[in-house]
Amino acid sequence: MLKTLLAISLTVIACGKSKEGAPAGDQPAAATKPAEAKLAAKQLGSLPLQADIPDDANVEDTTKGAGYPSATIYASPTFFVNGGGDMSDLKPTIDDSKTALAKTVNDFKAWTRADKTADGWILEGNGQSMVDNKPLLAVWVRRTIGGAPYDCGTNADTKEQIAKVLAECQSLRAK
């Protein structure tokens, strides 16, 4: 009986070993990095714009509900593109925009970047997340395309997410 139990125990132990001889549960997890979504030129709802965004992103035209040209791009992170109009919050100057957009960042601290560009500006700032009290970062890009102003941006958790949205916003162009 003892020999049978010993044989079963050895069989169970041997079956739990990997080819290298270490127990299967002790194998280091393979470093799997999520595949980056490929970028594709996509139409932004009814806006006369397109942008290079992840090919798996969903674009929702929010113009009707907003009362002005508007789209939400559900990517990681989600970001927004807003045009001008009677009900729009777009401000005419960078200083006016800094004041208005600071209200969209919870517990706003400061703008860390305010650069004028050939067709608008780039604003980056920081605040505090309401959910977990972690730092919150913001990026907003003003682009003037076809003579019309558009703001594009979001709040996010990491500098990498901000850089991603910045590049996506800078890719805005006429359809």
Side-chain angles (χ1 to χ4, degrees):
M1 178 78 159
L2 186 57
K3 286 183 181 180
T4 304
L5 286 174
L6 184 57
I8 291 172
S9 296
L10 289 174
T11 302
V12 170
I13 291 170
C15 289
K17 300 251 184 197
S18 70
K19 291 181 181 176
E20 289 79 30
D26 292 345
Q27 292 295 312
T32 55
K33 184 177 178 183
E36 286 288 323
K38 293 181 181 174
L39 297 181
K42 284 193 174 185
Q43 174 68 33
L44 301 183
S46 64
L47 279 69
L49 303 174
Q50 64 179 346
D52 296 332
I53 60 177
D55 61 358
D56 62 349
N58 292 317
V59 177
E60 181 181 350
D61 187 337
T62 51
T63 298
K64 188 174 181 179
Y68 52 87
S70 177
T72 300
I73 296 83
Y74 292 99
S76 183
T78 295
F79 65 100
F80 310 91
V81 178
N82 300 310
D86 290 340
M87 298 176 69
S88 175
D89 289 337
L90 258 62
K91 302 299 181 197
T93 68
I94 190 171
D95 290 330
D96 291 340
S97 290
K98 286 166 67 173
T99 301
L101 291 170
K103 295 174 185 173
T104 69
V105 181
N106 188 55
D107 195 20
F108 181 75
K109 305 290 184 208
W111 291 111
T112 57
R113 178 179 180 187
D115 296 338
K116 290 187 177 185
T117 62
D119 65 352
W121 53 75
I122 298 170
L123 296 173
E124 291 184 20
N126 55 39
Q128 194 81 24
S129 172
M130 287 180 7
V131 177
D132 54 14
N133 284 332
K134 290 184 179 177
L136 182 67
L137 305 172
V139 63
W140 287 95
V141 177
R142 167 65 56 91
R143 298 287 316 272
T144 304
I145 301 168
Y150 295 93
D151 281 352
C152 175
T154 196
N155 297 330
D157 298 327
T158 67
K159 289 181 181 181
E160 291 78 16
Q161 290 175 329
I162 292 297
K164 198 169 164 183
V165 171
L166 176 59
E168 292 162 346
C169 290
Q170 288 177 315
S171 77
L172 287 176
R173 59 193 174 277
K175 172 181 129 177

